[in-house]
Amino acid sequence: MTYCLGIITHSGLVMAADSRTNAGVDYISTYQKLFDFSNPGERVILLCTAGNLSVTQGVVSELEKDLKVQEETNLHNITCMYEVARYIGGKLRQIQQYDEAWLKKDGIEAQCTLLLGGQIHAQTPELYLIYSQGNFIHATPDTPFLQIGETKYGKPILDRTLSYDTSLESAAKCALLSIDSTMKSNISVGPPINLILYEKDSLMIKHRLRLRLGDPYLAKIRQLWEESLKQAFDCIPQINWQYREDDSPENILID
């Protein structure tokens, strides 16, 4: 399992991913889950992957091959991000159709999901979630983040903190805390953590970070976040166990 996150704001994009693919008492493996297919100065294209590792690696390999041999359609000549999402969704379907029957014979799921974020020159930044079937949805100002993988533990902080007007630096900090909250509750998510911050209209990646296991900054934000949560918890008023007889549930009228 893994956890990947994309955030879009009025000033750009944040993409983040862990690197763990398997976990057990005696076995942990890590693989890169955040890929940069950008053509600096003309377009930025970022891709996060979650799910069956052989399928997602096959998709990434196909995308890289089309770029290398300069296929008629590739990530550097498609004219809009919507069509980029269509193209990647098609590659995902091709890989699954080729491998799925054989995987199912051994009870192996071929399901996977992808996050696509980026910007093409003279257009606006966009963020997409591509499903295993190859179809997709996109983020909006009302829903400025998308998640794939082990999503539930890292979602509450995003719901309570993020908006389309959040600064990019704050969005990046929120992304790290979201991943850290997931790592705290689920052993199947873990470092190294890859984080990219993209500034709207820059058409190049200026801010990139990789945090490994034991990284001092990762340890510091976990410590500060836990201390802040405990302080906030202590500020919550105590439960008022005294109530009037008229307040008892059987006396409450419901319209």
Side-chain angles (χ1 to χ4, degrees):
M1 185 57 75
T2 192
Y3 177 42
C4 304
L5 168 65
I7 301 170
I8 189 166
T9 76
H10 68 286
S11 53
L13 288 163
V14 172
M15 303 284 283
D18 83 317
S19 301
R20 185 165 293 178
T21 60
N22 198 3
V25 294
D26 60 355
Y27 181 72
I28 294 176
S29 58
T30 59
Y31 289 90
Q32 181 179 344
K33 297 297 184 70
L34 175 54
F35 301 90
D36 182 3
F37 293 97
S38 301
N39 182 14
E42 198 277 327
R43 65 183 62 200
V44 165
I45 296 177
L46 302 170
L47 190 69
C48 292
T49 66
N52 184 286
L53 185 60
S54 68
V55 174
T56 57
Q57 286 187 336
V59 171
V60 170
S61 295
E62 284 291 319
L63 299 176
E64 291 174 338
K65 176 179 69 67
D66 285 357
L67 283 172
K68 184 176 181 179
V69 303
Q70 289 294 290
E71 282 285 348
E72 183 178 352
T73 300
N74 63 65
L75 289 175
H76 287 176
N77 61 25
I78 299 174
T79 57
C80 66
M81 289 299 296
Y82 175 86
E83 292 299 332
V84 171
R86 279 282 180 209
Y87 164 72
I88 295 175
K91 293 293 185 183
L92 178 54
R93 281 193 292 265
Q94 289 175 18
I95 297 294
Q96 287 181 319
Q97 288 170 3
Y98 186 82
D99 291 341
E100 190 170 19
W102 297 99
L103 292 171
K104 282 186 174 180
K105 285 185 176 182
D106 290 322
I108 300 173
E109 288 291 333
Q111 298 290 309
C112 58
T113 48
L114 311 172
L115 286 181
L116 167 68
Q119 181 180 20
I120 295 174
H121 177 68
Q123 300 176 31
T124 58
E126 297 181 46
L127 175 64
Y128 291 87
L129 191 162
I130 304 174
Y131 294 106
S132 196
Q133 295 80 5
N135 60 321
F136 50 84
I137 61 173
H138 66 90
T140 70
D142 292 329
T143 54
F145 68 88
L146 295 171
Q147 305 165 278
I148 57 175
E150 187 58 74
T151 62
K152 57 184 178 290
Y153 302 107
K155 190 172 185 291
I157 185 176
L158 303 174
D159 288 332
R160 293 178 180 272
T161 307
L162 279 179
S163 76
Y164 188 68
D165 295 321
T166 301
S167 71
L168 274 181
E169 284 291 342
S170 293
K173 184 166 58 175
C174 187
L176 283 178
L177 287 173
S178 179
I179 292 180
D180 180 73
S181 296
T182 306
M183 292 192 299
K184 179 73 173 179
S185 299
N186 193 319
I187 194 175
S188 69
V189 176
I193 307 302
N194 291 296
L195 179 73
I196 289 178
L197 183 152
Y198 168 67
E199 298 173 345
K200 179 180 178 181
D201 297 331
S202 65
L203 297 175
M204 63 180 62
I205 303 300
K206 300 177 183 178
H207 304 284
R208 188 190 309 265
L209 189 63
R210 183 174 175 86
L211 299 173
R212 298 184 180 277
L213 180 65
D215 185 278
Y217 179 71
L218 202 56
K220 186 66 173 179
I221 64 171
R222 169 170 289 191
Q223 176 189 353
L224 290 175
W225 182 236
E226 290 181 351
E227 290 174 354
S228 298
L229 284 176
K230 290 175 182 176
Q231 291 172 7
F233 176 79
D234 289 339
C235 290
I236 300 296
Q238 295 296 325
I239 297 172
N240 181 8
W241 296 103
Q242 304 299 318
Y243 64 90
R244 301 191 311 268
E245 185 177 348
D246 291 343
D247 293 334
S248 59
E250 61 269 20
N251 292 329
I252 297 176
L253 297 178
I254 300 177
D255 293 334

